[in-house]
Amino acid sequence: MILGHFLVISLALNAGFLYRDYCKGKHHYQEFFSFKNECKNASLTLLETSPPPFSSSSSSSKAFDGIINLDHGDPTMYERYWQQMGDKTTVVINGWQFISYFSDVRKVCWFLEPEFANSIIRLHKLVGNAITEDRYIVVGTGSTQLFQAVLYAVSPPNASEPISVVSAAPFYSSYPLITDFLKSGLHKWAGDAYTFNKDEPYIELVTSPNNPDGFPRQAVVNQNQGILIHDFAYYWPQYIPISSPADHDIMLFTVSKSTGHAGTRIGWALVKDKEIAKKMTEFIVLSTIGVSKDSQIRAAKILQVVSDSHQYKGNFKESKAFFEDSYDHMARRWKQLRDAVNVSKLFSLPDFTSGSCTFSGRTFGSQPAFAWLKCEGEIDDCESFLHGHKILTRGGKHFGGSEKYVRISMLPRDETFDQFIERLSSISSS
C-alpha cells in the first residue's frame, strides 16, 4: 500500500511540473497541482505557437509573436547534432533481451548494466571531470531519483528530528520540493546554506557549476557534522572549463545535460562508501525495482559515440566531435545573449572568470546551460515583466533569490532561441 501511494504521488509530481512549465511562472509551489482553466489555456497557446522541430526560422518574414517558453531546461538544442549522426547511435533490442530484473548480482547496484558502467568510466577518463577509481556506480531514473536515493541513504534513520538539508542560494528550485515532498521524517529542507548556523548534523547540496547562476561552487557551511552531496550535472566542457577531476564522496551526473538526452531518464552516482551505495540501491529497488535496461543500453551507446567522436575523429565525417560542436553552440548563444542585453540596456548578466580547460586546452569563461538574468532599474519583478512580453522564465524567488532575477534556459532549439534573442533586443526602456 505504501509503495502504491509513493508511485501515484510521483506521477502526480511529474504531471504538476509539466503543467507548471506552460503556466505563468509566478504560481506558488502549492499551486502546481491546481489545474485551472487559465493554466490549460496557457499550455494550449504555447503548443499552438511553438515552432515545429527543425523548422527554418527564415521561412517567414514576419516576426514570431507567440509565447516563448524558456522556463524549463529541455535540452532540445542537441537534436540537430544527433540527427547529423544518423544511425551511429541506433540501438536494436530484440524481444527476448533484458527480460530479467537482474544485470550483475555480484555488484552492489545489481540492476546496473555492465555496458553502461563501462561507458561511464570511459567518458569520465576521457573528459577528466571525475575520479571513477574505487567508486561504486549507482544508476537512477535521472538524477532526481538519485537525489532522493542519496537523501534516504545518508539521513540518520532513528534521529529524534529530521536532518536539515541546505544549499547555498541561489539554489536549484527543485531541491526544496524534492526534499520535503514525501514528508518522510528523515530529512527536511532548511534553506540557504549561507544562513545555516545550527550546531547539529546537516546535509549540504553543492551544485557546481551552479543551477541557476552558472558559477562553480564549493561547500559553504563547513562544519564537522555535515554530509556533502555534489551535483555535477553541468560539469562538462561545453559549459565550463574542466579544471581537475572531481573527487568527492557522493557525485551525481545525468545524460540530460551532458548529451541532451533528457527523455532517456538516466543518471548515475559515483559513491565512495559501499554502505551508502547499498542504501541508495535499496531506495531505487523499493521505488521502481531497478532502472530500465532499455534506457541504460541506449545511454551506453550514446556515451560510447561521444567518446568515439573524440578518440576516432576520422570515423566521424558527419560533424565535429561532440564536445567541440556543443562548445561552439554554447559560445555562439552566449555571445548572442550578451549582445542583446547590451542593446536593450534593461538587463545584466553575470561575468565569469576565464579558466584553462584541461580537456580542450581552451581558455574561456563559463557558458552555462542557464542564464541568470537581472532586470535593472525600477523593474522589481523580472519574471512578470518578461511574461508581459510573452517570454516565460523562472523567477528568482523559486531559487531563494531576488525577484529581480530570472533563470532562462539556453538549451532550446535554434529557432526558439533566435526568436528569444530578437524579442529581448526589441525590449527597451520605453
Side-chain angles (χ1 to χ4, degrees):
M1 181 67 71
I2 294 174
L3 177 58
H5 288 167
F6 178 88
L7 294 176
V8 170
I9 293 171
S10 179
L11 289 171
L13 176 62
N14 289 332
F17 271 120
L18 289 173
Y19 263 80
R20 180 188 181 279
D21 284 341
Y22 300 126
C23 298
K24 186 174 180 180
K26 66 180 183 179
H27 290 323
H28 296 294
Y29 293 133
Q30 53 264 45
E31 294 175 329
F32 279 11
F33 310 108
S34 179
F35 302 153
K36 299 177 181 178
N37 289 332
E38 63 264 28
C39 180
K40 296 175 182 177
N41 292 338
S43 63
L44 288 173
T45 303
L46 174 70
L47 293 172
E48 290 167 358
T49 56
S50 295
F54 312 124
S55 64
S56 172
S57 58
S58 61
S59 60
S60 174
S61 59
K62 184 179 179 181
F64 177 74
D65 63 356
I67 294 173
I68 300 173
N69 189 345
L70 301 176
D71 171 85
H72 53 282
D74 199 20
T76 50
M77 177 192 84
Y78 291 99
E79 282 179 341
R80 287 189 186 275
Y81 181 86
W82 292 113
Q83 187 186 46
Q84 291 167 4
M85 288 296 101
D87 62 359
K88 276 188 165 58
T89 57
T90 298
V91 175
V92 177
I93 298 176
N94 295 306
W96 55 267
Q97 290 180 291
F98 311 122
I99 289 178
S100 173
Y101 289 115
F102 302 95
S103 297
D104 187 345
V105 295
R106 298 167 299 176
K107 301 293 186 182
V108 170
C109 185
W110 47 263
F111 45 82
L112 170 64
E113 282 296 306
E115 186 177 347
F116 183 48
N118 292 335
S119 68
I120 289 170
I121 294 170
R122 180 189 175 194
L123 184 61
H124 281 307
K125 287 183 176 180
L126 171 70
V127 176
N129 64 339
I131 298 292
T132 58
E133 290 80 6
D134 300 319
R135 297 298 198 284
Y136 297 93
I137 300 176
V138 180
V139 62
T141 306
S143 59
T144 298
Q145 186 183 40
L146 289 168
F147 174 56
Q148 292 174 310
V150 75
L151 286 182
Y152 169 79
V154 302
S155 297
N158 300 313
S160 59
E161 292 288 335
I163 189 170
S164 295
V165 180
V166 299
S167 187
F171 42 71
Y172 177 39
S173 58
S174 291
Y175 281 157
L177 292 170
I178 298 169
T179 301
D180 287 344
F181 182 63
L182 293 179
K183 302 186 186 304
S184 69
L186 292 175
H187 43 72
K188 64 180 180 181
W189 179 251
D192 187 359
Y194 285 115
T195 62
F196 183 79
N197 55 10
K198 296 180 180 179
D199 185 18
E200 62 183 29
Y202 67 94
I203 299 170
E204 182 174 356
L205 312 172
V206 182
T207 306
S208 186
N210 190 41
N211 174 2
D213 62 14
F215 286 101
R217 281 284 184 85
Q218 294 181 342
V220 169
V221 181
N222 291 323
Q223 293 181 12
N224 293 331
Q225 302 181 73
I227 300 169
L228 301 182
I229 302 171
H230 285 81
D231 185 344
F232 287 119
Y234 305 94
Y235 191 45
W236 297 98
Q238 68 267 50
Y239 303 126
I240 192 171
I242 304 300
S243 57
S244 62
D247 183 8
H248 300 281
D249 291 347
I250 304 168
M251 301 183 288
L252 307 182
F253 295 88
T254 172
V255 298
S256 296
K257 299 306 188 292
S258 55
T259 70
H261 291 85
T264 305
R265 305 310 308 130
I266 288 289
W268 66 94
L270 302 177
V271 184
K272 272 188 181 180
D273 186 273
K274 186 176 183 178
E275 293 307 311
I276 291 177
K278 280 183 177 180
K279 289 202 71 174
M280 290 178 67
T281 300
E282 177 185 346
F283 178 91
I284 294 169
V285 170
L286 290 174
S287 57
T288 53
I289 320 179
V291 175
S292 166
K293 293 186 180 184
D294 295 6
S295 291
Q296 289 187 63
I297 294 303
R298 184 184 187 217
K301 182 66 172 178
I302 291 161
L303 297 191
Q304 289 165 6
V305 171
V306 170
S307 296
D308 287 346
S309 73
H310 288 272
Q311 294 180 322
Y312 307 107
K313 292 184 179 181
N315 297 333
F316 287 77
K317 307 296 185 184
E318 300 87 350
S319 184
K320 301 176 185 176
F322 174 76
F323 288 118
E324 292 177 5
D325 185 87
S326 302
Y327 168 88
D328 290 344
H329 220 126
M330 294 304 300
R332 181 168 57 253
R333 288 190 171 196
W334 269 93
K335 183 181 185 306
Q336 288 178 271
L337 179 58
R338 290 193 184 278
D339 288 347
V341 166
N342 290 336
V343 167
S344 177
K345 301 187 184 303
L346 281 178
F347 312 103
S348 62
L349 291 164
D351 290 320
F352 300 106
T353 302
S354 294
S356 178
C357 181
T358 57
F359 170 72
S360 65
R362 294 187 182 96
T363 298
F364 65 98
S366 296
Q367 38 196 43
F370 295 101
W372 191 232
L373 186 78
K374 181 182 181 182
C375 284
E376 299 289 354
E378 298 179 359
I379 303 172
D380 293 324
D381 187 344
C382 198
E383 181 181 7
S384 295
F385 176 76
L386 290 174
H387 186 273
H389 292 273
K390 297 184 182 179
I391 301 172
L392 302 187
T393 62
R394 193 170 300 185
K397 64 183 178 182
H398 300 301
F399 304 89
S402 166
E403 291 188 347
K404 289 187 72 68
Y405 289 88
V406 294
R407 190 195 71 170
I408 293 172
S409 172
M410 297 291 288
L411 303 180
R413 297 183 180 97
D414 288 338
E415 294 78 10
T416 300
F417 188 79
D418 290 343
Q419 290 158 0
F420 162 63
I421 292 299
E422 181 178 356
R423 188 169 302 174
L424 194 70
S425 300
S426 69
I427 301 173
S428 65
S429 57
S430 61

